[in-house]
Amino acid sequence: NVTYLPKYQVLMIGEDSGGGHQNDAMWAYHVPSGRLTRMLTTPYGSEVTSNYWVPRFGGRGYLITAVQHPYTESDQGRVGDEASTGSGSWIGVVGPFPALD
C-alpha cells in the first residue's frame, strides 16, 4: 500500500497495524527531510489500500486511494452511529497537485 510521487520526493504509505489501533492512516513521507505527515485516517476497522499516483491528468497531479471494509474487522456495533459512513468501501481522490515538469 505504497506509492511514490517522484517529482515531490514523497512516499505515500497506507498503514494498517494489524489491530494495533482503531483507525488506520495514510502517511506522506518526505524523503529528503525525513518528515512524516498524516494525510488521512479511516473509519473504525477499515484499511487504506490501493494508493496510486496519477502524475498528470488535465495538467494536474492526483493521488487516488481506497478505504475498504469499514466496521467489519472491529467495532461492528459502531456502524449504526450517527456519523458512520456505513460498511461500504470508498475510493477518494486527493488533489489537484500542481504539475511538475
Side-chain angles (χ1 to χ4, degrees):
N1 294 325
V2 298
T3 193
Y4 188 64
L5 290 63
K7 302 274 179 151
Y8 288 93
Q9 298 180 320
V10 170
L11 179 65
M12 300 302 297
I13 306 161
E15 184 267 335
D16 55 343
S17 68
H21 48 77
Q22 295 287 30
N23 299 90
D24 293 338
M26 182 167 60
W27 300 88
Y29 178 74
H30 185 245
V31 175
S33 70
R35 184 175 178 191
L36 187 65
T37 304
R38 185 176 57 204
M39 298 299 295
L40 65 86
T41 56
T42 64
Y44 291 117
S46 61
E47 131 181 48
V48 178
T49 186
S50 305
N51 300 336
Y52 185 76
W53 173 240
V54 179
R56 184 175 289 280
F57 181 81
R60 300 287 186 183
Y62 295 89
L63 179 65
I64 300 169
T65 192
V67 174
Q68 65 181 20
H69 56 70
Y71 302 100
T72 57
E73 288 185 349
S74 63
D75 298 300
Q76 294 175 7
R78 304 293 304 264
V79 72
D81 288 359
E82 183 177 335
S84 170
T85 58
S87 59
S89 296
W90 296 86
I91 294 175
V93 178
V94 180
F97 293 85
L100 297 176
D101 293 325

